[in-house]
Amino acid sequence: MHDRGTVEQRFERALENAERFFMKTGKVHQAVLAIARRLDQANIPYAIAGAMALGAHGYERVTVDVDVLLTREGLARFKKEQLGRGYAEKFPGSRGMRDTEHGVSIDVLIAGEFPGDGLPKPVAFPDPAEAAIEGDRFRILTLPTLVELKLASGMTAPHRLKDLADVLELVRAAKLPAELAASLNPYVRAKYMELWHAAQIEDPG
């Protein structure tokens, strides 16, 4: 049984973390700016993905890690130059890293691999040099690419249903048009339209 004081302290900490996140002063924002700066300085192509990219495109939700798209070569170069200088592997040989200064997990997506269940499909993680645009503070996935990857992930991996929820909430928050479907891979178009229609329904209240 949880001690009431402990539960309340945990809740207060969660509120404080959320407030820092939305003020863009939390550890995750510091970590994404730090890795973007180092990748830029090393001229390694990258694109920030995941919740940080969602936020840049208009739907903000709290996250505790940073997702970054790299090529295999880009990851190898970054590790060679940065491990032991503020970054550590999660375990020997892992693609994922930890920002040791800010205590934030860095999840690496590899160009050419497949989202969701990891099995071959018409949508793959693209080359970040071709799929990134300049955001306000770092390079992010283009909107169609982000939506495509989220849809392909949620469609093929039952444990990734939050990716479909992300697209639904992004449609609502950023008022994405139905016409965006035309710029998406045919593999995910029907799912986008299904979620787009769902997003037009207002909760009663």
Side-chain angles (χ1 to χ4, degrees):
M1 189 170 178
H2 291 293
D3 176 77
R4 184 176 176 183
T6 303
V7 172
E8 288 176 351
Q9 288 169 3
R10 211 175 280 152
F11 179 67
E12 286 172 7
R13 278 200 302 274
L15 284 179
E16 288 169 6
N17 287 338
E19 184 177 5
R20 283 194 293 270
F21 181 87
F22 290 120
M23 293 290 289
K24 296 182 171 49
T25 59
K27 291 183 182 297
V28 177
H29 285 92
Q30 295 172 39
V32 74
L33 291 173
I35 195 168
R37 184 168 57 251
R38 295 207 194 184
L39 288 163
D40 282 331
Q41 288 170 349
N43 290 316
I44 297 174
Y46 76 94
I48 299 300
M52 300 303 285
L54 285 172
H57 283 297
Y59 166 52
E60 289 193 287
R61 69 163 168 80
V62 175
T63 186
V64 295
D65 55 25
V66 172
D67 295 301
V68 60
L69 173 66
L70 299 170
T71 62
R72 228 171 262 290
E73 298 74 20
L75 175 59
R77 269 190 60 205
F78 184 83
K79 283 190 169 187
K80 183 179 179 182
E81 296 171 13
Q82 302 296 338
L83 288 183
R85 299 181 56 212
Y87 295 90
E89 291 180 319
K90 290 184 179 178
F91 56 85
S94 70
R95 71 175 60 170
M97 294 173 285
R98 187 157 189 80
D99 176 327
T100 55
E101 180 184 349
H102 301 103
V104 171
S105 177
I106 308 292
D107 294 329
V108 178
L109 311 172
I110 298 294
E113 294 190 355
F114 300 97
D117 57 10
L119 298 176
K121 56 181 66 68
V123 174
F125 291 113
D127 184 333
E130 299 171 1
I133 56 171
E134 289 293 341
D136 290 338
R137 299 176 301 157
F138 41 78
R139 294 179 64 75
I140 57 172
L141 284 175
T142 64
L143 177 61
T145 302
L146 177 64
V147 169
E148 245 175 30
L149 292 171
K150 286 276 183 186
L151 290 171
S153 175
M155 286 165 60
T156 60
H159 67 288
R160 298 290 311 179
L161 289 177
K162 71 174 183 179
D163 287 322
L164 299 183
D166 281 342
V167 173
L168 175 68
E169 295 303 333
L170 181 60
V171 170
R172 279 183 178 148
K175 296 182 170 48
L176 300 186
E179 291 74 22
L180 179 66
S183 6
L184 304 177
N185 189 292
Y187 179 71
V188 301
R189 279 181 195 161
K191 180 58 72 175
Y192 175 78
M193 289 309 303
E194 177 189 332
L195 295 173
W196 186 87
H197 284 295
Q200 310 313 305
I201 302 169
E202 292 189 14
D203 288 326

mmCIF file of all heavy atoms in Angstrom, residues 29-68:
data_model
loop_
_atom_site.group_PDB
_atom_site.id
_atom_site.type_symbol
_atom_site.label_atom_id
_atom_site.label_comp_id
_atom_site.label_asym_id
_atom_site.label_seq_id
_atom_site.Cartn_x
_atom_site.Cartn_y
_atom_site.Cartn_z
ATOM 1 N N HIS A 29 14.491 19.043 -22.984
ATOM 2 C CA HIS A 29 14.783 20.127 -23.926
ATOM 3 C C HIS A 29 16.275 20.463 -23.927
ATOM 4 O O HIS A 29 16.861 20.722 -24.982
ATOM 5 C CB HIS A 29 13.961 21.379 -23.579
ATOM 6 C CG HIS A 29 12.525 21.255 -23.969
ATOM 7 N ND1 HIS A 29 11.566 20.794 -23.107
ATOM 8 C CD2 HIS A 29 11.889 21.501 -25.137
ATOM 9 C CE1 HIS A 29 10.395 20.774 -23.720
ATOM 10 N NE2 HIS A 29 10.567 21.205 -24.955
ATOM 11 N N GLN A 30 16.886 20.440 -22.753
ATOM 12 C CA GLN A 30 18.327 20.692 -22.689
ATOM 13 C C GLN A 30 19.086 19.606 -23.436
ATOM 14 O O GLN A 30 20.055 19.881 -24.157
ATOM 15 C CB GLN A 30 18.782 20.752 -21.230
ATOM 16 C CG GLN A 30 18.190 21.931 -20.455
ATOM 17 C CD GLN A 30 18.499 21.849 -18.970
ATOM 18 O OE1 GLN A 30 19.578 21.472 -18.571
ATOM 19 N NE2 GLN A 30 17.520 22.193 -18.145
ATOM 20 N N ALA A 31 18.625 18.359 -23.301
ATOM 21 C CA ALA A 31 19.300 17.242 -23.955
ATOM 22 C C ALA A 31 19.154 17.294 -25.471
ATOM 23 O O ALA A 31 20.113 17.015 -26.204
ATOM 24 C CB ALA A 31 18.744 15.919 -23.422
ATOM 25 N N VAL A 32 17.964 17.652 -25.967
ATOM 26 C CA VAL A 32 17.779 17.692 -27.420
ATOM 27 C C VAL A 32 18.602 18.825 -28.036
ATOM 28 O O VAL A 32 19.193 18.683 -29.110
ATOM 29 C CB VAL A 32 16.284 17.795 -27.805
ATOM 30 C CG1 VAL A 32 15.711 19.171 -27.549
ATOM 31 C CG2 VAL A 32 16.081 17.430 -29.269
ATOM 32 N N LEU A 33 18.685 19.956 -27.344
ATOM 33 C CA LEU A 33 19.508 21.060 -27.847
ATOM 34 C C LEU A 33 20.990 20.684 -27.842
ATOM 35 O O LEU A 33 21.726 21.025 -28.768
ATOM 36 C CB LEU A 33 19.278 22.320 -27.006
ATOM 37 C CG LEU A 33 17.894 22.969 -27.144
ATOM 38 C CD1 LEU A 33 17.728 24.096 -26.139
ATOM 39 C CD2 LEU A 33 17.681 23.486 -28.562
ATOM 40 N N ALA A 34 21.408 19.953 -26.808
ATOM 41 C CA ALA A 34 22.815 19.560 -26.696
ATOM 42 C C ALA A 34 23.215 18.603 -27.808
ATOM 43 O O ALA A 34 24.262 18.782 -28.465
ATOM 44 C CB ALA A 34 23.075 18.920 -25.334
ATOM 45 N N ILE A 35 22.386 17.575 -28.071
ATOM 46 C CA ILE A 35 22.772 16.608 -29.104
ATOM 47 C C ILE A 35 22.656 17.226 -30.500
ATOM 48 O O ILE A 35 23.480 16.952 -31.374
ATOM 49 C CB ILE A 35 21.956 15.298 -28.995
ATOM 50 C CG1 ILE A 35 22.649 14.202 -29.831
ATOM 51 C CG2 ILE A 35 20.510 15.483 -29.406
ATOM 52 C CD1 ILE A 35 22.127 12.810 -29.581
ATOM 53 N N ALA A 36 21.661 18.100 -30.696
ATOM 54 C CA ALA A 36 21.531 18.779 -31.993
ATOM 55 C C ALA A 36 22.754 19.652 -32.259
ATOM 56 O O ALA A 36 23.286 19.674 -33.377
ATOM 57 C CB ALA A 36 20.260 19.618 -32.023
ATOM 58 N N ARG A 37 23.226 20.332 -31.227
ATOM 59 C CA ARG A 37 24.406 21.193 -31.381
ATOM 60 C C ARG A 37 25.638 20.369 -31.763
ATOM 61 O O ARG A 37 26.379 20.729 -32.670
ATOM 62 C CB ARG A 37 24.648 21.957 -30.077
ATOM 63 C CG ARG A 37 25.796 22.971 -30.159
ATOM 64 C CD ARG A 37 25.803 23.886 -28.942
ATOM 65 N NE ARG A 37 25.894 23.145 -27.682
ATOM 66 C CZ ARG A 37 24.918 23.013 -26.800
ATOM 67 N NH1 ARG A 37 23.741 23.584 -27.009
ATOM 68 N NH2 ARG A 37 25.094 22.325 -25.680
ATOM 69 N N ARG A 38 25.822 19.240 -31.106
ATOM 70 C CA ARG A 38 26.999 18.415 -31.407
ATOM 71 C C ARG A 38 26.905 17.785 -32.795
ATOM 72 O O ARG A 38 27.913 17.677 -33.501
ATOM 73 C CB ARG A 38 27.168 17.344 -30.335
ATOM 74 C CG ARG A 38 27.478 17.949 -28.975
ATOM 75 C CD ARG A 38 28.258 17.015 -28.112
ATOM 76 N NE ARG A 38 28.252 17.466 -26.716
ATOM 77 C CZ ARG A 38 28.924 16.883 -25.751
ATOM 78 N NH1 ARG A 38 29.668 15.815 -26.018
ATOM 79 N NH2 ARG A 38 28.881 17.336 -24.515
ATOM 80 N N LEU A 39 25.711 17.369 -33.184
ATOM 81 C CA LEU A 39 25.542 16.798 -34.526
ATOM 82 C C LEU A 39 25.786 17.859 -35.594
ATOM 83 O O LEU A 39 26.426 17.594 -36.621
ATOM 84 C CB LEU A 39 24.135 16.203 -34.663
ATOM 85 C CG LEU A 39 23.895 14.907 -33.881
ATOM 86 C CD1 LEU A 39 22.402 14.629 -33.745
ATOM 87 C CD2 LEU A 39 24.603 13.734 -34.546
ATOM 88 N N ASP A 40 25.289 19.070 -35.361
ATOM 89 C CA ASP A 40 25.523 20.174 -36.303
ATOM 90 C C ASP A 40 27.019 20.486 -36.413
ATOM 91 O O ASP A 40 27.555 20.660 -37.515
ATOM 92 C CB ASP A 40 24.766 21.429 -35.864
ATOM 93 C CG ASP A 40 23.287 21.371 -36.207
ATOM 94 O OD1 ASP A 40 22.936 20.711 -37.205
ATOM 95 O OD2 ASP A 40 22.485 21.984 -35.473
ATOM 96 N N GLN A 41 27.694 20.553 -35.271
ATOM 97 C CA GLN A 41 29.121 20.874 -35.275
ATOM 98 C C GLN A 41 29.928 19.817 -36.014
ATOM 99 O O GLN A 41 30.927 20.130 -36.659
ATOM 100 C CB GLN A 41 29.623 21.005 -33.832
ATOM 101 C CG GLN A 41 29.131 22.266 -33.128
ATOM 102 C CD GLN A 41 29.425 22.275 -31.631
ATOM 103 O OE1 GLN A 41 29.821 21.254 -31.046
ATOM 104 N NE2 GLN A 41 29.224 23.423 -30.993
ATOM 105 N N ALA A 42 29.477 18.565 -35.945
ATOM 106 C CA ALA A 42 30.196 17.470 -36.607
ATOM 107 C C ALA A 42 29.720 17.247 -38.040
ATOM 108 O O ALA A 42 30.226 16.370 -38.738
ATOM 109 C CB ALA A 42 30.014 16.184 -35.805
ATOM 110 N N ASN A 43 28.749 18.065 -38.495
ATOM 111 C CA ASN A 43 28.163 17.904 -39.835
ATOM 112 C C ASN A 43 27.626 16.496 -40.065
ATOM 113 O O ASN A 43 27.814 15.908 -41.137
ATOM 114 C CB ASN A 43 29.188 18.262 -40.927
ATOM 115 C CG ASN A 43 29.487 19.746 -40.964
ATOM 116 O OD1 ASN A 43 28.576 20.572 -40.893
ATOM 117 N ND2 ASN A 43 30.756 20.099 -41.055
ATOM 118 N N ILE A 44 26.971 15.952 -39.048
ATOM 119 C CA ILE A 44 26.328 14.647 -39.162
ATOM 120 C C ILE A 44 24.840 14.876 -39.418
ATOM 121 O O ILE A 44 24.159 15.490 -38.596
ATOM 122 C CB ILE A 44 26.513 13.816 -37.867
ATOM 123 C CG1 ILE A 44 27.998 13.526 -37.620
ATOM 124 C CG2 ILE A 44 25.712 12.519 -37.946
ATOM 125 C CD1 ILE A 44 28.281 12.833 -36.290
ATOM 126 N N PRO A 45 24.325 14.423 -40.560
ATOM 127 C CA PRO A 45 22.898 14.612 -40.843
ATOM 128 C C PRO A 45 22.037 13.926 -39.782
ATOM 129 O O PRO A 45 22.313 12.797 -39.367
ATOM 130 C CB PRO A 45 22.704 13.935 -42.208
ATOM 131 C CG PRO A 45 24.065 13.908 -42.812
ATOM 132 C CD PRO A 45 25.017 13.730 -41.665
ATOM 133 N N TYR A 46 20.986 14.613 -39.341
ATOM 134 C CA TYR A 46 20.097 14.062 -38.323
ATOM 135 C C TYR A 46 18.718 14.688 -38.471
ATOM 136 O O TYR A 46 18.542 15.713 -39.139
ATOM 137 C CB TYR A 46 20.632 14.352 -36.908
ATOM 138 C CG TYR A 46 20.411 15.799 -36.465
ATOM 139 C CD1 TYR A 46 19.290 16.156 -35.724
ATOM 140 C CD2 TYR A 46 21.296 16.811 -36.849
ATOM 141 C CE1 TYR A 46 19.068 17.479 -35.347
ATOM 142 C CE2 TYR A 46 21.088 18.129 -36.478
ATOM 143 C CZ TYR A 46 19.970 18.458 -35.732
ATOM 144 O OH TYR A 46 19.739 19.766 -35.378
ATOM 145 N N ALA A 47 17.747 14.068 -37.831
ATOM 146 C CA ALA A 47 16.413 14.660 -37.706
ATOM 147 C C ALA A 47 15.853 14.232 -36.358
ATOM 148 O O ALA A 47 15.886 13.048 -36.014
ATOM 149 C CB ALA A 47 15.490 14.186 -38.829
ATOM 150 N N ILE A 48 15.383 15.193 -35.599
ATOM 151 C CA ILE A 48 14.724 14.870 -34.340
ATOM 152 C C ILE A 48 13.327 14.346 -34.671
ATOM 153 O O ILE A 48 12.603 14.926 -35.480
ATOM 154 C CB ILE A 48 14.640 16.109 -33.418
ATOM 155 C CG1 ILE A 48 16.056 16.608 -33.074
ATOM 156 C CG2 ILE A 48 13.856 15.776 -32.152
ATOM 157 C CD1 ILE A 48 16.948 15.602 -32.360
ATOM 158 N N ALA A 49 12.969 13.221 -34.041
ATOM 159 C CA ALA A 49 11.680 12.574 -34.299
ATOM 160 C C ALA A 49 10.892 12.496 -32.989
ATOM 161 O O ALA A 49 11.157 13.248 -32.047
ATOM 162 C CB ALA A 49 11.932 11.178 -34.896
ATOM 163 N N GLY A 50 9.921 11.609 -32.932
ATOM 164 C CA GLY A 50 9.194 11.371 -31.693
ATOM 165 C C GLY A 50 8.426 12.580 -31.180
ATOM 166 O O GLY A 50 8.005 13.453 -31.932
ATOM 167 N N ALA A 51 8.266 12.624 -29.863
ATOM 168 C CA ALA A 51 7.439 13.654 -29.230
ATOM 169 C C ALA A 51 7.990 15.062 -29.445
ATOM 170 O O ALA A 51 7.224 16.023 -29.550
ATOM 171 C CB ALA A 51 7.295 13.377 -27.737
ATOM 172 N N MET A 52 9.316 15.194 -29.525
ATOM 173 C CA MET A 52 9.882 16.534 -29.733
ATOM 174 C C MET A 52 9.523 17.067 -31.115
ATOM 175 O O MET A 52 9.282 18.263 -31.292
ATOM 176 C CB MET A 52 11.397 16.508 -29.536
ATOM 177 C CG MET A 52 11.843 16.059 -28.149
ATOM 178 S SD MET A 52 11.147 17.074 -26.809
ATOM 179 C CE MET A 52 12.129 18.560 -26.975
ATOM 180 N N ALA A 53 9.471 16.187 -32.114
ATOM 181 C CA ALA A 53 9.058 16.608 -33.454
ATOM 182 C C ALA A 53 7.558 16.906 -33.472
ATOM 183 O O ALA A 53 7.114 17.859 -34.124
ATOM 184 C CB ALA A 53 9.399 15.527 -34.477
ATOM 185 N N LEU A 54 6.774 16.109 -32.759
ATOM 186 C CA LEU A 54 5.336 16.396 -32.657
ATOM 187 C C LEU A 54 5.115 17.807 -32.115
ATOM 188 O O LEU A 54 4.287 18.561 -32.623
ATOM 189 C CB LEU A 54 4.659 15.394 -31.715
ATOM 190 C CG LEU A 54 4.408 13.978 -32.217
ATOM 191 C CD1 LEU A 54 3.924 13.100 -31.064
ATOM 192 C CD2 LEU A 54 3.400 13.962 -33.359
ATOM 193 N N GLY A 55 5.870 18.155 -31.070
ATOM 194 C CA GLY A 55 5.742 19.474 -30.471
ATOM 195 C C GLY A 55 6.076 20.580 -31.454
ATOM 196 O O GLY A 55 5.390 21.604 -31.524
ATOM 197 N N ALA A 56 7.119 20.360 -32.236
ATOM 198 C CA ALA A 56 7.530 21.369 -33.223
ATOM 199 C C ALA A 56 6.471 21.549 -34.307
ATOM 200 O O ALA A 56 6.343 22.627 -34.885
ATOM 201 C CB ALA A 56 8.865 20.968 -33.847
ATOM 202 N N HIS A 57 5.693 20.494 -34.562
ATOM 203 C CA HIS A 57 4.660 20.568 -35.599
ATOM 204 C C HIS A 57 3.284 20.955 -35.044
ATOM 205 O O HIS A 57 2.329 21.061 -35.807
ATOM 206 C CB HIS A 57 4.566 19.246 -36.355
ATOM 207 C CG HIS A 57 5.665 19.046 -37.357
ATOM 208 N ND1 HIS A 57 5.844 19.872 -38.451
ATOM 209 C CD2 HIS A 57 6.651 18.108 -37.427
ATOM 210 C CE1 HIS A 57 6.885 19.453 -39.155
ATOM 211 N NE2 HIS A 57 7.391 18.395 -38.553
ATOM 212 N N GLY A 58 3.187 21.123 -33.707
ATOM 213 C CA GLY A 58 1.925 21.661 -33.191
ATOM 214 C C GLY A 58 1.208 20.872 -32.129
ATOM 215 O O GLY A 58 0.172 21.305 -31.632
ATOM 216 N N TYR A 59 1.734 19.683 -31.753
ATOM 217 C CA TYR A 59 1.084 18.925 -30.677
ATOM 218 C C TYR A 59 2.124 18.591 -29.611
ATOM 219 O O TYR A 59 3.023 17.788 -29.847
ATOM 220 C CB TYR A 59 0.448 17.639 -31.221
ATOM 221 C CG TYR A 59 0.066 16.644 -30.132
ATOM 222 C CD1 TYR A 59 -0.709 17.042 -29.039
ATOM 223 C CD2 TYR A 59 0.479 15.319 -30.195
ATOM 224 C CE1 TYR A 59 -1.052 16.136 -28.027
ATOM 225 C CE2 TYR A 59 0.143 14.406 -29.197
ATOM 226 C CZ TYR A 59 -0.616 14.824 -28.120
ATOM 227 O OH TYR A 59 -0.943 13.933 -27.126
ATOM 228 N N GLU A 60 1.987 19.230 -28.460
ATOM 229 C CA GLU A 60 2.958 19.019 -27.391
ATOM 230 C C GLU A 60 2.456 18.008 -26.376
ATOM 231 O O GLU A 60 1.341 18.124 -25.888
ATOM 232 C CB GLU A 60 3.255 20.344 -26.680
ATOM 233 C CG GLU A 60 4.058 21.308 -27.533
ATOM 234 C CD GLU A 60 4.599 22.466 -26.720
ATOM 235 O OE1 GLU A 60 3.784 23.324 -26.346
ATOM 236 O OE2 GLU A 60 5.811 22.492 -26.453
ATOM 237 N N ARG A 61 3.285 17.021 -26.110
ATOM 238 C CA ARG A 61 3.008 16.101 -25.011
ATOM 239 C C ARG A 61 4.315 15.824 -24.288
ATOM 240 O O ARG A 61 5.394 15.870 -24.880
ATOM 241 C CB ARG A 61 2.351 14.805 -25.493
ATOM 242 C CG ARG A 61 3.232 13.866 -26.310
ATOM 243 C CD ARG A 61 2.601 12.484 -26.363
ATOM 244 N NE ARG A 61 3.215 11.605 -27.347
ATOM 245 C CZ ARG A 61 4.349 10.941 -27.160
ATOM 246 N NH1 ARG A 61 5.044 11.103 -26.049
ATOM 247 N NH2 ARG A 61 4.817 10.134 -28.101
ATOM 248 N N VAL A 62 4.199 15.553 -23.009
ATOM 249 C CA VAL A 62 5.395 15.328 -22.197
ATOM 250 C C VAL A 62 6.091 14.054 -22.625
ATOM 251 O O VAL A 62 5.451 13.042 -22.923
ATOM 252 C CB VAL A 62 5.019 15.237 -20.699
ATOM 253 C CG1 VAL A 62 6.239 14.889 -19.856
ATOM 254 C CG2 VAL A 62 4.410 16.547 -20.226
ATOM 255 N N THR A 63 7.414 14.105 -22.693
ATOM 256 C CA THR A 63 8.215 12.924 -22.978
ATOM 257 C C THR A 63 9.442 12.937 -22.078
ATOM 258 O O THR A 63 9.814 13.987 -21.546
ATOM 259 C CB THR A 63 8.642 12.878 -24.457
ATOM 260 O OG1 THR A 63 9.316 11.642 -24.727
ATOM 261 C CG2 THR A 63 9.579 14.032 -24.803
ATOM 262 N N VAL A 64 10.049 11.778 -21.899
ATOM 263 C CA VAL A 64 11.222 11.702 -21.023
ATOM 264 C C VAL A 64 12.478 11.328 -21.804
ATOM 265 O O VAL A 64 13.546 11.159 -21.223
ATOM 266 C CB VAL A 64 11.004 10.665 -19.890
ATOM 267 C CG1 VAL A 64 9.877 11.119 -18.980
ATOM 268 C CG2 VAL A 64 10.709 9.267 -20.450
ATOM 269 N N ASP A 65 12.351 11.179 -23.135
ATOM 270 C CA ASP A 65 13.538 10.831 -23.917
ATOM 271 C C ASP A 65 13.575 11.617 -25.221
ATOM 272 O O ASP A 65 12.640 12.336 -25.561
ATOM 273 C CB ASP A 65 13.598 9.317 -24.180
ATOM 274 C CG ASP A 65 12.314 8.796 -24.839
ATOM 275 O OD1 ASP A 65 11.622 9.580 -25.506
ATOM 276 O OD2 ASP A 65 12.020 7.601 -24.688
ATOM 277 N N VAL A 66 14.672 11.461 -25.939
ATOM 278 C CA VAL A 66 14.868 12.137 -27.218
ATOM 279 C C VAL A 66 15.004 11.069 -28.295
ATOM 280 O O VAL A 66 15.797 10.129 -28.152
ATOM 281 C CB VAL A 66 16.133 13.018 -27.199
ATOM 282 C CG1 VAL A 66 16.433 13.571 -28.597
ATOM 283 C CG2 VAL A 66 15.979 14.152 -26.192
ATOM 284 N N ASP A 67 14.215 11.188 -29.384
ATOM 285 C CA ASP A 67 14.335 10.287 -30.525
ATOM 286 C C ASP A 67 15.069 11.029 -31.637
ATOM 287 O O ASP A 67 14.652 12.128 -32.031
ATOM 288 C CB ASP A 67 12.954 9.870 -31.036
ATOM 289 C CG ASP A 67 12.198 9.038 -30.010
ATOM 290 O OD1 ASP A 67 12.709 7.976 -29.622
ATOM 291 O OD2 ASP A 67 11.101 9.454 -29.600
ATOM 292 N N VAL A 68 16.123 10.416 -32.153
ATOM 293 C CA VAL A 68 16.889 11.061 -33.217
ATOM 294 C C VAL A 68 17.134 10.065 -34.347
ATOM 295 O O VAL A 68 17.503 8.912 -34.108
ATOM 296 C CB VAL A 68 18.222 11.649 -32.681
ATOM 297 C CG1 VAL A 68 19.108 10.576 -32.062
ATOM 298 C CG2 VAL A 68 18.974 12.392 -33.779
#
